[in-house]
Amino acid sequence: MQDAAPSLQRLLGIMARLRDPESGCPWDKAQDFASIAPYSIEEAYEVADTIAREDWDGLPDELGDLLLQVVYHAQMADEKGLFDFATVATLIGDKMVRRHPHVFGEAEARAGQWENGKALERLARNRRGTLDDVPVGLPALIRARKLSARAARVGFDWDTVGEVAAKVDEELDELKVELESGDREKIFDELGDVLFTLATLARKLDMDPEACLRQANAKFTRRFTAVEHDLADRGLALADVDVKTMEEGWQAVKHRERAATKKT
């Protein structure tokens, strides 16, 4: 394993140079925590996408982009006298040791150890509420799963997957009622309930709702593009056909995919 210290020191130096008030990059100097935060989220998703595609050659580059976000925030904090990169690294190292006493101490591994450690940390930060530290800035679907998981730890949960599935049906029925009413505010509210309950169902099935949706997005993209290509092979564009023709093309693509899957 290579010594990472020289490369990390070089990266920290590059960031400090980019933010230098005199000789730095105008764009980098103009950024602040709020303006960089969206890039941090975007880079995390690009890492997840690279892993999903099993692009192992591209993963180091994407992880580097994500690391840069940490370095960027640490540099800005250092400039304000808040903390530096060493503080970030020390804190996460201490946390990992603290939450793994069965590895770094004398304790034995036990169920709930990680979550118990997090609960003690919340108390230390005067965050006593069960849901207090579920970040508001998370993507809504991820946060919904985390909120329901946190509530489940104190007993606020359904016993079976079937009960959650029944709740999904109940929420869909309530949404249908409001669709009939045409009240957009109530439709908005009920649609949110449907999505929240679906995220809970994913948790109960031990599945990541974001991963499920990413797969559905990829499937839709793949099939829609195939329909578009099939039409192009016939000298047609999407604008040239009606929705019935598009649906026929969609079903044809689905049939091809299923036939191909059976062969493998």
mmCIF file of all heavy atoms in Angstrom, residues 203-241:
data_model
loop_
_atom_site.group_PDB
_atom_site.id
_atom_site.type_symbol
_atom_site.label_atom_id
_atom_site.label_comp_id
_atom_site.label_asym_id
_atom_site.label_seq_id
_atom_site.Cartn_x
_atom_site.Cartn_y
_atom_site.Cartn_z
ATOM 1 N N ARG A 203 -37.558 0.105 3.254
ATOM 2 C CA ARG A 203 -36.794 -0.192 4.477
ATOM 3 C C ARG A 203 -37.187 -1.546 5.047
ATOM 4 O O ARG A 203 -36.325 -2.344 5.444
ATOM 5 C CB ARG A 203 -37.039 0.893 5.533
ATOM 6 C CG ARG A 203 -36.411 0.552 6.876
ATOM 7 C CD ARG A 203 -36.757 1.562 7.945
ATOM 8 N NE ARG A 203 -38.170 1.672 8.205
ATOM 9 C CZ ARG A 203 -38.857 0.808 8.971
ATOM 10 N NH1 ARG A 203 -38.266 -0.240 9.508
ATOM 11 N NH2 ARG A 203 -40.144 0.996 9.186
ATOM 12 N N LYS A 204 -38.475 -1.827 5.068
ATOM 13 C CA LYS A 204 -38.954 -3.085 5.628
ATOM 14 C C LYS A 204 -38.454 -4.273 4.809
ATOM 15 O O LYS A 204 -38.241 -5.367 5.342
ATOM 16 C CB LYS A 204 -40.481 -3.069 5.659
ATOM 17 C CG LYS A 204 -41.090 -4.000 6.690
ATOM 18 C CD LYS A 204 -40.840 -3.520 8.100
ATOM 19 C CE LYS A 204 -41.538 -4.413 9.116
ATOM 20 N NZ LYS A 204 -41.202 -4.033 10.494
ATOM 21 N N LEU A 205 -38.253 -4.050 3.513
ATOM 22 C CA LEU A 205 -37.718 -5.098 2.641
ATOM 23 C C LEU A 205 -36.192 -5.123 2.644
ATOM 24 O O LEU A 205 -35.586 -5.896 1.905
ATOM 25 C CB LEU A 205 -38.218 -4.867 1.213
ATOM 26 C CG LEU A 205 -39.714 -5.097 0.975
ATOM 27 C CD1 LEU A 205 -40.124 -4.533 -0.383
ATOM 28 C CD2 LEU A 205 -40.047 -6.583 1.060
ATOM 29 N N ASP A 206 -35.591 -4.231 3.456
ATOM 30 C CA ASP A 206 -34.138 -4.079 3.517
ATOM 31 C C ASP A 206 -33.570 -3.704 2.152
ATOM 32 O O ASP A 206 -32.570 -4.254 1.705
ATOM 33 C CB ASP A 206 -33.471 -5.354 4.039
ATOM 34 C CG ASP A 206 -32.022 -5.123 4.460
ATOM 35 O OD1 ASP A 206 -31.679 -3.972 4.783
ATOM 36 O OD2 ASP A 206 -31.236 -6.087 4.440
ATOM 37 N N MET A 207 -34.235 -2.762 1.501
ATOM 38 C CA MET A 207 -33.793 -2.256 0.207
ATOM 39 C C MET A 207 -33.628 -0.743 0.275
ATOM 40 O O MET A 207 -34.275 -0.073 1.079
ATOM 41 C CB MET A 207 -34.806 -2.608 -0.893
ATOM 42 C CG MET A 207 -34.941 -4.083 -1.161
ATOM 43 S SD MET A 207 -36.136 -4.431 -2.475
ATOM 44 C CE MET A 207 -36.050 -6.227 -2.509
ATOM 45 N N ASP A 208 -32.755 -0.230 -0.558
ATOM 46 C CA ASP A 208 -32.505 1.203 -0.647
ATOM 47 C C ASP A 208 -33.462 1.803 -1.674
ATOM 48 O O ASP A 208 -33.355 1.487 -2.865
ATOM 49 C CB ASP A 208 -31.051 1.431 -1.065
ATOM 50 C CG ASP A 208 -30.703 2.906 -1.253
ATOM 51 O OD1 ASP A 208 -31.592 3.756 -1.062
ATOM 52 O OD2 ASP A 208 -29.552 3.192 -1.598
ATOM 53 N N PRO A 209 -34.407 2.657 -1.257
ATOM 54 C CA PRO A 209 -35.357 3.206 -2.223
ATOM 55 C C PRO A 209 -34.691 4.032 -3.315
ATOM 56 O O PRO A 209 -35.154 4.064 -4.447
ATOM 57 C CB PRO A 209 -36.294 4.065 -1.362
ATOM 58 C CG PRO A 209 -35.517 4.371 -0.128
ATOM 59 C CD PRO A 209 -34.644 3.172 0.102
ATOM 60 N N GLU A 210 -33.575 4.701 -2.981
ATOM 61 C CA GLU A 210 -32.845 5.457 -3.994
ATOM 62 C C GLU A 210 -32.279 4.517 -5.048
ATOM 63 O O GLU A 210 -32.329 4.799 -6.248
ATOM 64 C CB GLU A 210 -31.716 6.257 -3.348
ATOM 65 C CG GLU A 210 -32.150 7.538 -2.679
ATOM 66 C CD GLU A 210 -32.439 8.651 -3.669
ATOM 67 O OE1 GLU A 210 -31.855 8.644 -4.759
ATOM 68 O OE2 GLU A 210 -33.257 9.519 -3.333
ATOM 69 N N ALA A 211 -31.738 3.377 -4.614
ATOM 70 C CA ALA A 211 -31.192 2.402 -5.556
ATOM 71 C C ALA A 211 -32.304 1.817 -6.426
ATOM 72 O O ALA A 211 -32.121 1.606 -7.629
ATOM 73 C CB ALA A 211 -30.465 1.294 -4.806
ATOM 74 N N CYS A 212 -33.457 1.549 -5.804
ATOM 75 C CA CYS A 212 -34.606 1.044 -6.573
ATOM 76 C C CYS A 212 -35.012 2.051 -7.654
ATOM 77 O O CYS A 212 -35.264 1.675 -8.805
ATOM 78 C CB CYS A 212 -35.794 0.783 -5.647
ATOM 79 S SG CYS A 212 -35.565 -0.537 -4.447
ATOM 80 N N LEU A 213 -35.063 3.324 -7.263
ATOM 81 C CA LEU A 213 -35.475 4.348 -8.218
ATOM 82 C C LEU A 213 -34.418 4.573 -9.284
ATOM 83 O O LEU A 213 -34.741 4.808 -10.453
ATOM 84 C CB LEU A 213 -35.785 5.650 -7.478
ATOM 85 C CG LEU A 213 -36.394 6.779 -8.312
ATOM 86 C CD1 LEU A 213 -37.660 6.320 -9.040
ATOM 87 C CD2 LEU A 213 -36.704 7.986 -7.437
ATOM 88 N N ARG A 214 -33.135 4.490 -8.907
ATOM 89 C CA ARG A 214 -32.074 4.621 -9.906
ATOM 90 C C ARG A 214 -32.187 3.514 -10.946
ATOM 91 O O ARG A 214 -32.007 3.755 -12.154
ATOM 92 C CB ARG A 214 -30.694 4.574 -9.240
ATOM 93 C CG ARG A 214 -30.268 5.861 -8.575
ATOM 94 C CD ARG A 214 -28.767 5.893 -8.318
ATOM 95 N NE ARG A 214 -28.334 4.825 -7.439
ATOM 96 C CZ ARG A 214 -28.295 4.928 -6.111
ATOM 97 N NH1 ARG A 214 -28.684 6.031 -5.514
ATOM 98 N NH2 ARG A 214 -27.848 3.912 -5.386
ATOM 99 N N GLN A 215 -32.496 2.301 -10.484
ATOM 100 C CA GLN A 215 -32.652 1.196 -11.420
ATOM 101 C C GLN A 215 -33.841 1.428 -12.339
ATOM 102 O O GLN A 215 -33.776 1.163 -13.552
ATOM 103 C CB GLN A 215 -32.834 -0.121 -10.661
ATOM 104 C CG GLN A 215 -33.024 -1.324 -11.576
ATOM 105 C CD GLN A 215 -32.979 -2.633 -10.816
ATOM 106 O OE1 GLN A 215 -31.961 -2.947 -10.196
ATOM 107 N NE2 GLN A 215 -34.062 -3.385 -10.849
ATOM 108 N N ALA A 216 -34.941 1.942 -11.765
ATOM 109 C CA ALA A 216 -36.122 2.240 -12.587
ATOM 110 C C ALA A 216 -35.813 3.347 -13.593
ATOM 111 O O ALA A 216 -36.262 3.290 -14.750
ATOM 112 C CB ALA A 216 -37.289 2.649 -11.689
ATOM 113 N N ASN A 217 -35.038 4.346 -13.168
ATOM 114 C CA ASN A 217 -34.640 5.418 -14.083
ATOM 115 C C ASN A 217 -33.812 4.867 -15.242
ATOM 116 O O ASN A 217 -34.007 5.245 -16.404
ATOM 117 C CB ASN A 217 -33.820 6.477 -13.339
ATOM 118 C CG ASN A 217 -34.659 7.321 -12.407
ATOM 119 O OD1 ASN A 217 -35.880 7.367 -12.527
ATOM 120 N ND2 ASN A 217 -34.018 7.975 -11.471
ATOM 121 N N ALA A 218 -32.863 3.977 -14.898
ATOM 122 C CA ALA A 218 -32.014 3.388 -15.932
ATOM 123 C C ALA A 218 -32.833 2.544 -16.899
ATOM 124 O O ALA A 218 -32.613 2.570 -18.115
ATOM 125 C CB ALA A 218 -30.922 2.542 -15.283
ATOM 126 N N LYS A 219 -33.795 1.792 -16.340
ATOM 127 C CA LYS A 219 -34.640 0.953 -17.186
ATOM 128 C C LYS A 219 -35.482 1.811 -18.132
ATOM 129 O O LYS A 219 -35.599 1.522 -19.325
ATOM 130 C CB LYS A 219 -35.562 0.105 -16.312
ATOM 131 C CG LYS A 219 -36.438 -0.865 -17.091
ATOM 132 C CD LYS A 219 -37.579 -1.408 -16.239
ATOM 133 C CE LYS A 219 -37.056 -2.161 -15.036
ATOM 134 N NZ LYS A 219 -38.184 -2.716 -14.214
ATOM 135 N N PHE A 220 -36.068 2.894 -17.585
ATOM 136 C CA PHE A 220 -36.887 3.778 -18.419
ATOM 137 C C PHE A 220 -36.040 4.397 -19.524
ATOM 138 O O PHE A 220 -36.452 4.458 -20.686
ATOM 139 C CB PHE A 220 -37.519 4.873 -17.568
ATOM 140 C CG PHE A 220 -38.378 5.825 -18.359
ATOM 141 C CD1 PHE A 220 -39.700 5.526 -18.620
ATOM 142 C CD2 PHE A 220 -37.851 7.010 -18.868
ATOM 143 C CE1 PHE A 220 -40.495 6.383 -19.357
ATOM 144 C CE2 PHE A 220 -38.619 7.874 -19.617
ATOM 145 C CZ PHE A 220 -39.959 7.563 -19.856
ATOM 146 N N THR A 221 -34.834 4.871 -19.141
ATOM 147 C CA THR A 221 -33.941 5.494 -20.132
ATOM 148 C C THR A 221 -33.579 4.506 -21.231
ATOM 149 O O THR A 221 -33.612 4.841 -22.420
ATOM 150 C CB THR A 221 -32.666 6.005 -19.445
ATOM 151 O OG1 THR A 221 -33.025 6.960 -18.444
ATOM 152 C CG2 THR A 221 -31.724 6.655 -20.442
ATOM 153 N N ARG A 222 -33.239 3.285 -20.814
ATOM 154 C CA ARG A 222 -32.851 2.256 -21.783
ATOM 155 C C ARG A 222 -33.985 1.928 -22.745
ATOM 156 O O ARG A 222 -33.800 1.863 -23.969
ATOM 157 C CB ARG A 222 -32.418 1.002 -21.022
ATOM 158 C CG ARG A 222 -31.927 -0.133 -21.899
ATOM 159 C CD ARG A 222 -31.519 -1.336 -21.064
ATOM 160 N NE ARG A 222 -32.644 -1.982 -20.403
ATOM 161 C CZ ARG A 222 -32.836 -2.002 -19.088
ATOM 162 N NH1 ARG A 222 -31.990 -1.398 -18.280
ATOM 163 N NH2 ARG A 222 -33.872 -2.630 -18.566
ATOM 164 N N ARG A 223 -35.175 1.745 -22.214
ATOM 165 C CA ARG A 223 -36.318 1.359 -23.053
ATOM 166 C C ARG A 223 -36.793 2.503 -23.938
ATOM 167 O O ARG A 223 -37.114 2.297 -25.111
ATOM 168 C CB ARG A 223 -37.460 0.844 -22.179
ATOM 169 C CG ARG A 223 -37.158 -0.497 -21.538
ATOM 170 C CD ARG A 223 -38.285 -0.972 -20.643
ATOM 171 N NE ARG A 223 -38.012 -2.315 -20.134
ATOM 172 C CZ ARG A 223 -38.789 -2.948 -19.250
ATOM 173 N NH1 ARG A 223 -39.874 -2.350 -18.771
ATOM 174 N NH2 ARG A 223 -38.466 -4.172 -18.847
ATOM 175 N N PHE A 224 -36.824 3.708 -23.371
ATOM 176 C CA PHE A 224 -37.275 4.854 -24.169
ATOM 177 C C PHE A 224 -36.306 5.104 -25.323
ATOM 178 O O PHE A 224 -36.724 5.379 -26.463
ATOM 179 C CB PHE A 224 -37.374 6.096 -23.286
ATOM 180 C CG PHE A 224 -38.035 7.259 -23.957
ATOM 181 C CD1 PHE A 224 -39.413 7.404 -23.934
ATOM 182 C CD2 PHE A 224 -37.285 8.222 -24.623
ATOM 183 C CE1 PHE A 224 -40.036 8.475 -24.561
ATOM 184 C CE2 PHE A 224 -37.888 9.292 -25.251
ATOM 185 C CZ PHE A 224 -39.277 9.420 -25.224
ATOM 186 N N THR A 225 -35.012 4.999 -25.036
ATOM 187 C CA THR A 225 -34.000 5.191 -26.081
ATOM 188 C C THR A 225 -34.126 4.127 -27.151
ATOM 189 O O THR A 225 -33.973 4.414 -28.354
ATOM 190 C CB THR A 225 -32.595 5.165 -25.462
ATOM 191 O OG1 THR A 225 -32.496 6.202 -24.471
ATOM 192 C CG2 THR A 225 -31.522 5.391 -26.522
ATOM 193 N N ALA A 226 -34.432 2.889 -26.744
ATOM 194 C CA ALA A 226 -34.607 1.803 -27.716
ATOM 195 C C ALA A 226 -35.806 2.066 -28.621
ATOM 196 O O ALA A 226 -35.749 1.813 -29.828
ATOM 197 C CB ALA A 226 -34.769 0.473 -26.989
ATOM 198 N N VAL A 227 -36.886 2.571 -28.040
ATOM 199 C CA VAL A 227 -38.063 2.931 -28.848
ATOM 200 C C VAL A 227 -37.687 3.998 -29.868
ATOM 201 O O VAL A 227 -38.045 3.912 -31.050
ATOM 202 C CB VAL A 227 -39.215 3.436 -27.947
ATOM 203 C CG1 VAL A 227 -40.341 4.023 -28.798
ATOM 204 C CG2 VAL A 227 -39.751 2.307 -27.080
ATOM 205 N N GLU A 228 -36.941 4.989 -29.408
ATOM 206 C CA GLU A 228 -36.514 6.078 -30.289
ATOM 207 C C GLU A 228 -35.645 5.551 -31.431
ATOM 208 O O GLU A 228 -35.813 5.946 -32.595
ATOM 209 C CB GLU A 228 -35.745 7.109 -29.462
ATOM 210 C CG GLU A 228 -35.600 8.464 -30.114
ATOM 211 C CD GLU A 228 -35.102 9.506 -29.135
ATOM 212 O OE1 GLU A 228 -34.502 9.143 -28.099
ATOM 213 O OE2 GLU A 228 -35.314 10.701 -29.400
ATOM 214 N N HIS A 229 -34.732 4.622 -31.107
ATOM 215 C CA HIS A 229 -33.865 4.048 -32.140
ATOM 216 C C HIS A 229 -34.659 3.187 -33.121
ATOM 217 O O HIS A 229 -34.400 3.212 -34.331
ATOM 218 C CB HIS A 229 -32.767 3.210 -31.482
ATOM 219 C CG HIS A 229 -31.738 4.031 -30.803
ATOM 220 N ND1 HIS A 229 -30.769 3.490 -29.980
ATOM 221 C CD2 HIS A 229 -31.501 5.374 -30.801
ATOM 222 C CE1 HIS A 229 -29.996 4.458 -29.510
ATOM 223 N NE2 HIS A 229 -30.429 5.605 -29.989
ATOM 224 N N ASP A 230 -35.642 2.427 -32.596
ATOM 225 C CA ASP A 230 -36.477 1.592 -33.473
ATOM 226 C C ASP A 230 -37.242 2.448 -34.477
ATOM 227 O O ASP A 230 -37.353 2.105 -35.662
ATOM 228 C CB ASP A 230 -37.454 0.759 -32.649
ATOM 229 C CG ASP A 230 -36.765 -0.378 -31.903
ATOM 230 O OD1 ASP A 230 -35.572 -0.630 -32.172
ATOM 231 O OD2 ASP A 230 -37.427 -1.010 -31.049
ATOM 232 N N LEU A 231 -37.750 3.573 -33.992
ATOM 233 C CA LEU A 231 -38.476 4.482 -34.889
ATOM 234 C C LEU A 231 -37.523 5.076 -35.921
ATOM 235 O O LEU A 231 -37.872 5.202 -37.111
ATOM 236 C CB LEU A 231 -39.144 5.599 -34.082
ATOM 237 C CG LEU A 231 -40.369 5.200 -33.253
ATOM 238 C CD1 LEU A 231 -40.798 6.350 -32.348
ATOM 239 C CD2 LEU A 231 -41.536 4.795 -34.151
ATOM 240 N N ALA A 232 -36.317 5.430 -35.472
ATOM 241 C CA ALA A 232 -35.341 6.007 -36.396
ATOM 242 C C ALA A 232 -34.990 5.018 -37.501
ATOM 243 O O ALA A 232 -34.790 5.408 -38.661
ATOM 244 C CB ALA A 232 -34.088 6.431 -35.633
ATOM 245 N N ASP A 233 -34.929 3.720 -37.147
ATOM 246 C CA ASP A 233 -34.645 2.697 -38.153
ATOM 247 C C ASP A 233 -35.742 2.625 -39.209
ATOM 248 O O ASP A 233 -35.499 2.171 -40.334
ATOM 249 C CB ASP A 233 -34.494 1.321 -37.481
ATOM 250 C CG ASP A 233 -33.210 1.212 -36.660
ATOM 251 O OD1 ASP A 233 -32.294 2.029 -36.883
ATOM 252 O OD2 ASP A 233 -33.143 0.324 -35.797
ATOM 253 N N ARG A 234 -36.926 3.105 -38.839
ATOM 254 C CA ARG A 234 -38.051 3.128 -39.792
ATOM 255 C C ARG A 234 -38.197 4.497 -40.458
ATOM 256 O O ARG A 234 -39.182 4.776 -41.131
ATOM 257 C CB ARG A 234 -39.351 2.763 -39.064
ATOM 258 C CG ARG A 234 -39.393 1.333 -38.540
ATOM 259 C CD ARG A 234 -40.396 1.149 -37.421
ATOM 260 N NE ARG A 234 -41.729 1.613 -37.765
ATOM 261 C CZ ARG A 234 -42.731 1.736 -36.891
ATOM 262 N NH1 ARG A 234 -42.515 1.450 -35.596
ATOM 263 N NH2 ARG A 234 -43.910 2.147 -37.285
ATOM 264 N N GLY A 235 -37.213 5.360 -40.201
ATOM 265 C CA GLY A 235 -37.248 6.693 -40.789
ATOM 266 C C GLY A 235 -38.200 7.635 -40.097
ATOM 267 O O GLY A 235 -38.646 8.625 -40.684
ATOM 268 N N LEU A 236 -38.518 7.347 -38.815
ATOM 269 C CA LEU A 236 -39.479 8.155 -38.070
ATOM 270 C C LEU A 236 -38.822 8.776 -36.838
ATOM 271 O O LEU A 236 -37.835 8.246 -36.307
ATOM 272 C CB LEU A 236 -40.668 7.297 -37.625
ATOM 273 C CG LEU A 236 -41.529 6.665 -38.728
ATOM 274 C CD1 LEU A 236 -42.504 5.661 -38.123
ATOM 275 C CD2 LEU A 236 -42.278 7.746 -39.502
ATOM 276 N N ALA A 237 -39.395 9.860 -36.385
ATOM 277 C CA ALA A 237 -38.989 10.492 -35.139
ATOM 278 C C ALA A 237 -40.163 10.435 -34.168
ATOM 279 O O ALA A 237 -41.307 10.187 -34.569
ATOM 280 C CB ALA A 237 -38.577 11.947 -35.376
ATOM 281 N N LEU A 238 -39.894 10.652 -32.892
ATOM 282 C CA LEU A 238 -40.971 10.617 -31.898
ATOM 283 C C LEU A 238 -42.075 11.616 -32.241
ATOM 284 O O LEU A 238 -43.259 11.348 -32.020
ATOM 285 C CB LEU A 238 -40.405 10.919 -30.508
ATOM 286 C CG LEU A 238 -39.510 9.835 -29.899
ATOM 287 C CD1 LEU A 238 -38.836 10.351 -28.640
ATOM 288 C CD2 LEU A 238 -40.319 8.587 -29.587
ATOM 289 N N ALA A 239 -41.670 12.750 -32.777
ATOM 290 C CA ALA A 239 -42.657 13.777 -33.117
ATOM 291 C C ALA A 239 -43.574 13.346 -34.257
ATOM 292 O O ALA A 239 -44.636 13.953 -34.465
ATOM 293 C CB ALA A 239 -41.941 15.074 -33.485
ATOM 294 N N ASP A 240 -43.183 12.290 -34.978
ATOM 295 C CA ASP A 240 -43.971 11.855 -36.141
ATOM 296 C C ASP A 240 -45.071 10.866 -35.781
ATOM 297 O O ASP A 240 -45.909 10.539 -36.631
ATOM 298 C CB ASP A 240 -43.053 11.187 -37.182
ATOM 299 C CG ASP A 240 -41.986 12.138 -37.696
ATOM 300 O OD1 ASP A 240 -42.269 13.342 -37.784
ATOM 301 O OD2 ASP A 240 -40.867 11.658 -37.984
ATOM 302 N N VAL A 241 -45.059 10.330 -34.566
ATOM 303 C CA VAL A 241 -45.999 9.262 -34.215
ATOM 304 C C VAL A 241 -46.842 9.662 -33.015
ATOM 305 O O VAL A 241 -46.492 10.572 -32.256
ATOM 306 C CB VAL A 241 -45.249 7.946 -33.918
ATOM 307 C CG1 VAL A 241 -44.434 7.503 -35.127
ATOM 308 C CG2 VAL A 241 -44.327 8.094 -32.706
#
